[in-house]
Amino acid sequence: MAAQLGISEHYYRRLETGRRPMSSGTIAEVSRLFTLHPDEQLALYRCAGRPVPPLLFRITPEVPTTSATTSTGCLSRR
């Protein structure tokens, strides 16, 4: 794992045991290596006490009030 993160084994052990706080860059790399879901990434940043990158904030999409849906709720082909 340390090699994949590009850090020494000693430094990685310190991260694992909590003797060294994770940097935002290390969190991003761990998230990439484990292909974490955005919710998991968000939890990892918060657990580490690091600021959450803007792209991980939940964005509520605007849903149009009228749409081209059928009675089943699926988009209709036009």
Side-chain angles (χ1 to χ4, degrees):
M1 184 69 173
Q4 290 177 322
L5 290 171
I7 58 178
S8 71
E9 288 182 32
H10 175 73
Y11 183 74
Y12 181 75
R13 279 193 299 274
R14 292 180 70 197
L15 290 173
E16 252 186 344
T17 59
R19 289 182 286 161
R20 178 86 177 148
M22 267 197 204
S23 69
S24 294
T26 302
I27 293 171
E29 192 62 18
V30 167
S31 298
R32 185 188 68 76
L33 287 173
F34 286 115
T35 57
L36 297 181
H37 184 275
D39 289 341
E40 295 169 315
Q41 293 178 42
L42 184 63
L44 190 54
Y45 277 96
R46 288 184 174 156
C47 183
R50 294 291 180 194
V52 178
L55 293 177
L56 289 181
F57 283 113
R58 288 197 182 276
I59 299 172
T60 306
E62 290 187 29
V63 179
T65 54
T66 59
S67 63
T69 59
T70 65
S71 61
T72 61
C74 300
L75 289 174
S76 62
R77 294 181 183 216
R78 291 185 181 197

Coordinates of all heavy atoms in Angstrom, one line a residue:
M1 N 0.8 -1.2 0.0 CA 0.0 0.0 0.0 C 0.9 1.3 0.0 O 0.6 2.2 -0.7 CB -0.9 0.0 1.2 CG -1.9 1.1 1.3 SD -3.1 1.0 0.0 CE -4.2 2.2 0.4
A2 N 1.9 1.3 0.8 CA 2.8 2.4 0.9 C 3.4 2.7 -0.5 O 3.4 3.9 -0.9 CB 3.9 2.2 2.0
A3 N 3.9 1.7 -1.1 CA 4.5 1.9 -2.4 C 3.5 2.4 -3.4 O 3.8 3.3 -4.2 CB 5.0 0.5 -2.9
Q4 N 2.2 2.0 -3.4 CA 1.2 2.5 -4.3 C 0.9 3.9 -4.0 O 0.5 4.7 -4.9 CB -0.1 1.6 -4.2 CG 0.1 0.2 -4.8 CD -1.1 -0.6 -4.6 OE1 -1.8 -0.6 -3.6 NE2 -1.4 -1.4 -5.7
L5 N 1.0 4.3 -2.8 CA 0.7 5.7 -2.4 C 1.9 6.6 -2.6 O 1.8 7.8 -2.6 CB 0.3 5.8 -0.9 CG -1.0 5.2 -0.5 CD1 -1.2 5.2 1.0 CD2 -2.1 6.1 -1.2
G6 N 3.1 6.0 -2.9 CA 4.3 6.7 -3.1 C 4.9 7.3 -1.8 O 5.5 8.4 -1.8
I7 N 4.7 6.6 -0.7 CA 5.2 7.0 0.6 C 6.0 5.9 1.2 O 5.9 4.7 0.8 CB 4.1 7.5 1.6 CG1 3.1 6.4 1.8 CG2 3.4 8.8 1.0 CD1 2.0 6.8 2.8
S8 N 6.8 6.2 2.2 CA 7.6 5.1 2.9 C 6.7 4.2 3.8 O 5.6 4.7 4.2 CB 8.7 5.7 3.8 OG 8.1 6.3 4.9
E9 N 7.2 3.0 4.0 CA 6.4 2.1 4.9 C 6.3 2.7 6.3 O 5.3 2.5 7.0 CB 7.1 0.7 4.9 CG 6.9 0.0 3.6 CD 7.5 -1.4 3.6 OE1 7.5 -2.0 4.7 OE2 7.9 -1.9 2.6
H10 N 7.4 3.3 6.8 CA 7.4 3.9 8.1 C 6.3 5.0 8.2 O 5.5 5.0 9.2 CB 8.8 4.5 8.4 CG 8.8 5.2 9.7 ND1 8.8 4.6 10.9 CD2 8.9 6.5 10.0 CE1 8.9 5.5 11.9 NE2 8.9 6.7 11.3
Y11 N 6.3 5.8 7.2 CA 5.3 6.9 7.2 C 3.9 6.3 7.1 O 2.9 6.8 7.8 CB 5.5 7.9 6.0 CG 4.6 9.0 6.0 CD1 4.7 10.1 6.9 CD2 3.6 9.1 5.0 CE1 3.9 11.2 6.8 CE2 2.7 10.2 5.0 CZ 2.9 11.2 5.9 OH 2.0 12.3 5.8
Y12 N 3.7 5.3 6.3 CA 2.4 4.6 6.2 C 1.9 4.0 7.5 O 0.8 4.2 7.9 CB 2.4 3.6 5.1 CG 1.0 2.9 4.9 CD1 0.0 3.6 4.3 CD2 0.8 1.7 5.4 CE1 -1.3 3.0 4.1 CE2 -0.5 1.1 5.2 CZ -1.5 1.8 4.6 OH -2.7 1.2 4.5
R13 N 2.8 3.4 8.2 CA 2.5 2.8 9.5 C 2.1 3.9 10.5 O 1.2 3.7 11.3 CB 3.7 2.0 10.1 CG 3.8 0.6 9.5 CD 4.8 -0.3 10.3 NE 6.1 0.3 10.3 CZ 7.1 0.0 9.3 NH1 6.8 -0.7 8.3 NH2 8.3 0.5 9.4
R14 N 2.7 5.0 10.4 CA 2.3 6.1 11.3 C 0.9 6.6 11.0 O 0.2 7.0 11.9 CB 3.4 7.2 11.2 CG 4.7 6.8 11.8 CD 5.7 7.9 11.8 NE 5.4 8.9 12.7 CZ 5.9 10.1 12.7 NH1 6.8 10.5 11.8 NH2 5.5 11.0 13.6
L15 N 0.6 6.6 9.7 CA -0.7 7.0 9.3 C -1.8 6.0 9.8 O -2.8 6.4 10.3 CB -0.8 7.1 7.7 CG -0.1 8.2 7.0 CD1 -0.2 8.1 5.5 CD2 -0.7 9.6 7.4
E16 N -1.5 4.8 9.6 CA -2.4 3.7 10.0 C -2.7 3.7 11.5 O -3.8 3.4 11.9 CB -1.8 2.3 9.6 CG -2.4 1.7 8.5 CD -1.9 0.3 8.2 OE1 -0.8 -0.1 8.7 OE2 -2.6 -0.5 7.5
T17 N -1.7 4.0 12.3 CA -1.8 3.9 13.7 C -2.3 5.3 14.3 O -2.6 5.3 15.5 CB -0.5 3.5 14.4 OG1 0.5 4.5 14.1 CG2 -0.1 2.2 14.0
G18 N -2.5 6.3 13.4 CA -3.0 7.5 13.9 C -1.9 8.4 14.5 O -2.3 9.5 15.1
R19 N -0.7 8.0 14.4 CA 0.4 8.9 15.0 C 0.8 10.0 14.0 O 1.5 10.9 14.4 CB 1.7 8.0 15.3 CG 1.4 7.1 16.5 CD 2.7 6.3 16.8 NE 2.8 5.3 15.7 CZ 3.9 4.7 15.4 NH1 5.0 4.9 16.1 NH2 3.9 3.7 14.5
R20 N 0.2 10.0 12.8 CA 0.5 11.0 11.9 C -0.8 11.3 11.2 O -1.5 10.4 10.7 CB 1.6 10.5 10.9 CG 1.9 11.5 9.8 CD 2.9 12.5 10.2 NE 3.3 13.3 9.1 CZ 3.6 14.5 9.2 NH1 3.8 15.1 10.4 NH2 3.9 15.3 8.2
P21 N -1.2 12.6 11.1 CA -2.5 12.9 10.4 C -2.3 12.7 8.9 O -1.2 13.0 8.3 CB -2.8 14.3 10.8 CG -1.5 14.9 11.1 CD -0.6 13.8 11.7
M22 N -3.4 12.3 8.2 CA -3.3 12.2 6.7 C -3.5 13.5 6.1 O -4.3 14.3 6.5 CB -4.5 11.3 6.3 CG -4.2 9.9 6.1 SD -5.4 9.1 5.1 CE -5.2 7.4 5.7
S23 N -2.7 13.8 5.1 CA -2.8 15.0 4.3 C -4.0 14.8 3.3 O -4.4 13.7 3.0 CB -1.6 15.3 3.5 OG -1.4 14.3 2.5
S24 N -4.5 15.9 2.8 CA -5.6 15.8 1.8 C -5.2 15.1 0.6 O -5.9 14.3 0.0 CB -6.1 17.2 1.5 OG -6.7 17.8 2.6
G25 N -3.9 15.2 0.2 CA -3.4 14.5 -1.0 C -3.3 13.0 -0.8 O -3.7 12.2 -1.7
T26 N -3.0 12.6 0.4 CA -2.9 11.2 0.8 C -4.3 10.6 0.8 O -4.6 9.5 0.3 CB -2.2 10.9 2.1 OG1 -0.9 11.5 2.1 CG2 -2.2 9.5 2.4
I27 N -5.3 11.4 1.3 CA -6.7 10.9 1.4 C -7.2 10.8 -0.1 O -7.8 9.8 -0.4 CB -7.6 11.9 2.1 CG1 -7.2 11.9 3.6 CG2 -9.0 11.6 2.0 CD1 -7.8 13.0 4.4
A28 N -6.9 11.7 -0.9 CA -7.3 11.6 -2.3 C -6.7 10.4 -3.0 O -7.4 9.7 -3.8 CB -6.9 12.9 -3.1
E29 N -5.4 10.1 -2.7 CA -4.8 9.0 -3.3 C -5.4 7.6 -2.8 O -5.6 6.7 -3.6 CB -3.3 9.0 -3.1 CG -2.5 8.0 -3.9 CD -2.6 8.2 -5.4 OE1 -3.0 9.3 -5.9 OE2 -2.3 7.3 -6.2
V30 N -5.6 7.6 -1.5 CA -6.2 6.4 -0.9 C -7.6 6.2 -1.5 O -8.0 5.0 -1.9 CB -6.3 6.5 0.6 CG1 -7.3 5.4 1.2 CG2 -5.0 6.4 1.3
S31 N -8.4 7.2 -1.7 CA -9.7 7.2 -2.3 C -9.6 6.6 -3.7 O -10.5 5.8 -4.1 CB -10.4 8.5 -2.3 OG -10.5 9.0 -1.0
R32 N -8.6 7.1 -4.5 CA -8.5 6.6 -5.8 C -8.1 5.2 -5.9 O -8.6 4.4 -6.7 CB -7.4 7.5 -6.5 CG -7.2 7.2 -8.0 CD -6.1 7.9 -8.6 NE -4.8 7.4 -8.1 CZ -4.2 6.2 -8.5 NH1 -4.8 5.4 -9.4 NH2 -3.0 5.9 -8.0
L33 N -7.1 4.8 -5.0 CA -6.7 3.4 -5.0 C -7.8 2.4 -4.7 O -7.8 1.3 -5.2 CB -5.5 3.2 -4.1 CG -4.1 3.8 -4.5 CD1 -3.1 3.7 -3.4 CD2 -3.6 3.1 -5.8
F34 N -8.6 2.8 -3.7 CA -9.7 1.9 -3.3 C -11.0 2.2 -4.1 O -12.0 1.5 -3.7 CB -9.9 2.0 -1.8 CG -8.9 1.4 -1.0 CD1 -8.0 2.1 -0.2 CD2 -8.7 0.0 -1.0 CE1 -7.1 1.5 0.6 CE2 -7.7 -0.6 -0.2 CZ -6.9 0.1 0.6
T35 N -11.0 3.1 -5.0 CA -12.2 3.5 -5.8 C -13.3 3.7 -4.8 O -14.4 3.1 -5.0 CB -12.5 2.5 -6.9 OG1 -12.7 1.2 -6.4 CG2 -11.5 2.5 -8.0
L36 N -13.1 4.6 -3.8 CA -14.2 4.8 -2.8 C -15.3 5.6 -3.4 O -15.1 6.5 -4.3 CB -13.6 5.6 -1.7 CG -12.5 4.9 -0.8 CD1 -12.0 5.8 0.3 CD2 -13.0 3.6 -0.3
H37 N -16.5 5.3 -3.0 CA -17.7 6.1 -3.4 C -17.6 7.5 -2.8 O -16.9 7.6 -1.7 CB -18.9 5.3 -2.8 CG -20.2 6.0 -3.1 ND1 -20.8 7.0 -2.4 CD2 -21.1 5.7 -4.1 CE1 -21.9 7.3 -3.0 NE2 -22.1 6.6 -4.0
P38 N -18.1 8.5 -3.4 CA -18.0 9.9 -2.8 C -18.4 10.0 -1.4 O -17.8 10.7 -0.6 CB -18.9 10.7 -3.7 CG -18.9 10.0 -5.1 CD -18.8 8.5 -4.7
D39 N -19.5 9.2 -0.9 CA -19.9 9.2 0.5 C -18.8 8.7 1.4 O -18.5 9.2 2.5 CB -21.1 8.4 0.7 CG -22.4 9.1 0.1 OD1 -22.3 10.3 -0.1 OD2 -23.4 8.4 -0.1
E40 N -18.1 7.7 0.9 CA -16.9 7.1 1.7 C -15.8 8.1 1.7 O -15.1 8.2 2.8 CB -16.5 5.8 1.1 CG -17.5 4.7 1.1 CD -17.2 3.5 0.3 OE1 -16.8 3.7 -0.9 OE2 -17.4 2.4 0.8
Q41 N -15.5 8.8 0.6 CA -14.5 9.8 0.6 C -14.8 10.9 1.6 O -13.9 11.4 2.3 CB -14.3 10.3 -0.8 CG -13.8 9.3 -1.8 CD -13.7 10.0 -3.2 OE1 -13.3 11.1 -3.4 NE2 -14.1 9.2 -4.2
L42 N -16.0 11.3 1.5 CA -16.5 12.4 2.4 C -16.2 12.0 3.9 O -15.7 12.8 4.7 CB -18.0 12.7 2.2 CG -18.6 13.8 2.9 CD1 -18.0 15.1 2.6 CD2 -20.1 13.8 2.7
A43 N -16.6 10.8 4.2 CA -16.4 10.3 5.6 C -14.9 10.2 6.0 O -14.5 10.6 7.1 CB -17.0 8.9 5.8
L44 N -14.1 9.8 5.0 CA -12.6 9.8 5.3 C -12.0 11.2 5.5 O -11.3 11.3 6.4 CB -11.9 9.1 4.1 CG -10.5 8.7 4.2 CD1 -10.3 7.8 5.5 CD2 -10.0 8.0 3.0
Y45 N -12.4 12.1 4.7 CA -11.9 13.5 4.9 C -12.4 14.0 6.3 O -11.6 14.6 7.0 CB -12.5 14.5 3.8 CG -11.6 14.4 2.6 CD1 -12.0 13.6 1.5 CD2 -10.5 15.2 2.5 CE1 -11.2 13.6 0.3 CE2 -9.7 15.2 1.3 CZ -10.1 14.4 0.3 OH -9.3 14.4 -0.9
R46 N -13.6 13.8 6.6 CA -14.2 14.3 7.9 C -13.5 13.6 9.1 O -13.2 14.2 10.1 CB -15.7 14.1 7.9 CG -16.4 15.1 7.1 CD -17.9 15.0 7.2 NE -18.5 16.1 6.4 CZ -19.7 16.0 5.9 NH1 -20.5 15.0 6.2 NH2 -20.2 17.0 5.2
C47 N -13.3 12.3 9.0 CA -12.6 11.5 10.0 C -11.2 12.0 10.2 O -10.7 12.1 11.4 CB -12.6 10.0 9.7 SG -11.9 9.0 10.9
A48 N -10.5 12.4 9.2 CA -9.2 12.9 9.2 C -9.1 14.3 9.7 O -8.0 14.9 9.9 CB -8.5 12.7 7.9
G49 N -10.3 15.0 9.8 CA -10.3 16.4 10.2 C -9.8 17.3 9.1 O -9.3 18.4 9.4
R50 N -9.9 16.9 7.8 CA -9.4 17.7 6.7 C -10.6 18.4 6.0 O -11.7 17.9 6.0 CB -8.7 16.8 5.7 CG -7.4 16.2 6.2 CD -6.4 17.3 6.4 NE -5.2 16.8 6.9 CZ -4.2 17.5 7.4 NH1 -4.4 18.8 7.5 NH2 -3.1 17.0 7.9
P51 N -10.4 19.5 5.4 CA -11.4 20.2 4.6 C -11.9 19.3 3.4 O -11.0 18.6 2.8 CB -10.8 21.5 4.1 CG -9.4 21.4 4.4 CD -9.1 20.3 5.3
V52 N -13.1 19.2 3.2 CA -13.7 18.4 2.1 C -13.6 19.2 0.8 O -14.0 20.3 0.7 CB -15.2 18.1 2.4 CG1 -15.8 17.3 1.3 CG2 -15.3 17.3 3.7
P53 N -13.0 18.5 -0.2 CA -12.9 19.2 -1.5 C -14.3 19.6 -2.1 O -15.3 18.8 -1.8 CB -12.3 18.2 -2.4 CG -11.6 17.2 -1.5 CD -12.4 17.2 -0.3
P54 N -14.5 20.7 -2.8 CA -15.8 21.1 -3.2 C -16.5 20.1 -4.1 O -17.7 20.0 -4.0 CB -15.5 22.3 -4.1 CG -14.1 22.8 -3.7 CD -13.4 21.6 -3.1
L55 N -15.8 19.2 -4.8 CA -16.5 18.3 -5.7 C -17.2 17.1 -4.9 O -18.0 16.4 -5.4 CB -15.5 17.7 -6.7 CG -15.0 18.6 -7.7 CD1 -14.0 17.9 -8.6 CD2 -16.1 19.2 -8.5
L56 N -16.9 17.0 -3.6 CA -17.5 16.0 -2.8 C -18.7 16.5 -2.0 O -19.5 15.7 -1.5 CB -16.5 15.4 -1.8 CG -15.4 14.5 -2.4 CD1 -14.5 14.0 -1.3 CD2 -16.0 13.4 -3.2
F57 N -19.0 17.8 -2.1 CA -20.2 18.3 -1.4 C -21.4 17.8 -2.2 O -21.4 17.7 -3.4 CB -20.2 19.8 -1.4 CG -19.4 20.4 -0.3 CD1 -18.2 21.1 -0.7 CD2 -19.6 20.2 1.0 CE1 -17.4 21.6 0.3 CE2 -18.8 20.7 2.0 CZ -17.7 21.4 1.6
R58 N -22.5 17.4 -1.5 CA -23.7 17.0 -2.2 C -24.3 18.2 -2.9 O -24.5 19.3 -2.4 CB -24.7 16.5 -1.2 CG -24.3 15.2 -0.6 CD -25.5 14.5 0.1 NE -25.2 13.3 0.7 CZ -25.2 12.1 0.0 NH1 -25.5 12.1 -1.3 NH2 -24.9 11.0 0.6
I59 N -24.7 17.9 -4.1 CA -25.4 18.9 -4.9 C -26.7 18.4 -5.3 O -26.9 17.3 -5.8 CB -24.6 19.2 -6.2 CG1 -23.2 19.8 -5.9 CG2 -25.4 20.2 -7.1 CD1 -22.3 19.9 -7.1
T60 N -27.8 19.1 -4.9 CA -29.1 18.7 -5.2 C -29.5 19.2 -6.6 O -29.5 20.4 -6.8 CB -30.1 19.2 -4.2 OG1 -29.7 18.9 -2.9 CG2 -31.5 18.7 -4.4
P61 N -29.6 18.3 -7.6 CA -29.9 18.7 -8.9 C -31.3 19.3 -9.0 O -32.2 18.9 -8.3 CB -29.8 17.5 -9.7 CG -30.1 16.4 -8.8 CD -29.6 16.8 -7.5
E62 N -31.5 20.3 -9.8 CA -32.8 20.9 -10.1 C -33.5 19.9 -11.0 O -33.1 19.6 -12.1 CB -32.7 22.3 -10.7 CG -32.2 23.3 -9.7 CD -32.2 24.7 -10.2 OE1 -33.1 25.0 -11.1 OE2 -31.4 25.5 -9.8
V63 N -34.7 19.5 -10.6 CA -35.5 18.6 -11.4 C -36.6 19.4 -12.0 O -37.4 20.0 -11.3 CB -36.1 17.4 -10.6 CG1 -36.9 16.5 -11.5 CG2 -34.9 16.6 -10.0
P64 N -36.8 19.4 -13.3 CA -37.9 20.2 -13.9 C -39.2 19.7 -13.5 O -39.4 18.5 -13.2 CB -37.7 20.0 -15.4 CG -36.7 18.9 -15.6 CD -36.0 18.7 -14.3
T65 N -40.2 20.6 -13.3 CA -41.5 20.2 -12.9 C -42.3 19.5 -14.0 O -43.2 18.7 -13.7 CB -42.3 21.4 -12.4 OG1 -42.3 22.4 -13.4 CG2 -41.7 21.9 -11.1
T66 N -42.0 19.8 -15.2 CA -42.6 19.1 -16.3 C -41.5 18.4 -17.1 O -40.5 18.9 -17.4 CB -43.4 20.0 -17.3 OG1 -42.4 21.0 -17.8 CG2 -44.5 20.7 -16.6
S67 N -41.8 17.1 -17.5 CA -40.8 16.4 -18.3 C -41.5 15.5 -19.2 O -42.7 15.3 -19.2 CB -39.9 15.6 -17.3 OG -40.7 14.6 -16.7
A68 N -40.8 14.9 -20.1 CA -41.3 14.0 -21.1 C -41.3 12.6 -20.6 O -40.5 11.8 -21.1 CB -40.5 14.2 -22.4
T69 N -42.1 12.3 -19.6 CA -42.1 11.0 -19.1 C -43.4 10.3 -19.4 O -44.4 10.9 -19.7 CB -41.9 11.0 -17.5 OG1 -43.0 11.7 -17.0 CG2 -40.6 11.5 -17.1
T70 N -43.3 9.0 -19.4 CA -44.5 8.2 -19.7 C -45.2 7.9 -18.3 O -44.7 8.3 -17.3 CB -44.2 6.9 -20.4 OG1 -43.4 6.1 -19.5 CG2 -43.4 7.2 -21.7
S71 N -46.3 7.2 -18.4 CA -47.0 6.8 -17.2 C -46.1 5.9 -16.3 O -46.4 5.8 -15.1 CB -48.3 6.1 -17.5 OG -48.1 5.0 -18.2
T72 N -45.1 5.2 -16.8 CA -44.3 4.4 -16.1 C -43.1 5.1 -15.4 O -42.4 4.6 -14.6 CB -43.6 3.3 -16.9 OG1 -42.8 3.9 -17.9 CG2 -44.7 2.4 -17.5
G73 N -43.0 6.4 -15.7 CA -42.0 7.2 -15.2 C -40.7 7.3 -16.0 O -39.7 7.9 -15.6
C74 N -40.7 6.6 -17.1 CA -39.5 6.5 -18.0 C -39.6 7.6 -19.0 O -40.7 8.0 -19.4 CB -39.4 5.2 -18.7 SG -39.2 3.8 -17.5
L75 N -38.4 8.0 -19.5 CA -38.4 9.0 -20.5 C -39.0 8.5 -21.8 O -38.8 7.3 -22.2 CB -37.0 9.5 -20.8 CG -36.4 10.4 -19.7 CD1 -34.9 10.7 -20.1 CD2 -37.1 11.7 -19.6
S76 N -39.8 9.3 -22.5 CA -40.4 8.8 -23.7 C -39.5 9.2 -24.9 O -38.8 10.1 -24.8 CB -41.8 9.4 -23.9 OG -41.7 10.8 -24.0
R77 N -39.6 8.4 -25.9 CA -38.8 8.7 -27.1 C -39.7 9.5 -28.0 O -40.8 9.2 -28.2 CB -38.4 7.4 -27.8 CG -37.5 6.6 -27.0 CD -37.1 5.3 -27.8 NE -36.2 4.6 -26.9 CZ -35.2 3.9 -27.4 NH1 -35.0 3.8 -28.6 NH2 -34.5 3.2 -26.6
R78 N -39.1 10.5 -28.5 CA -39.9 11.4 -29.4 C -39.2 11.4 -30.8 O -38.1 11.3 -31.0 CB -39.9 12.8 -28.8 CG -40.8 12.8 -27.6 CD -40.9 14.2 -27.1 NE -41.7 14.2 -25.9 CZ -42.3 15.2 -25.4 NH1 -42.2 16.4 -26.0 NH2 -43.0 15.1 -24.3

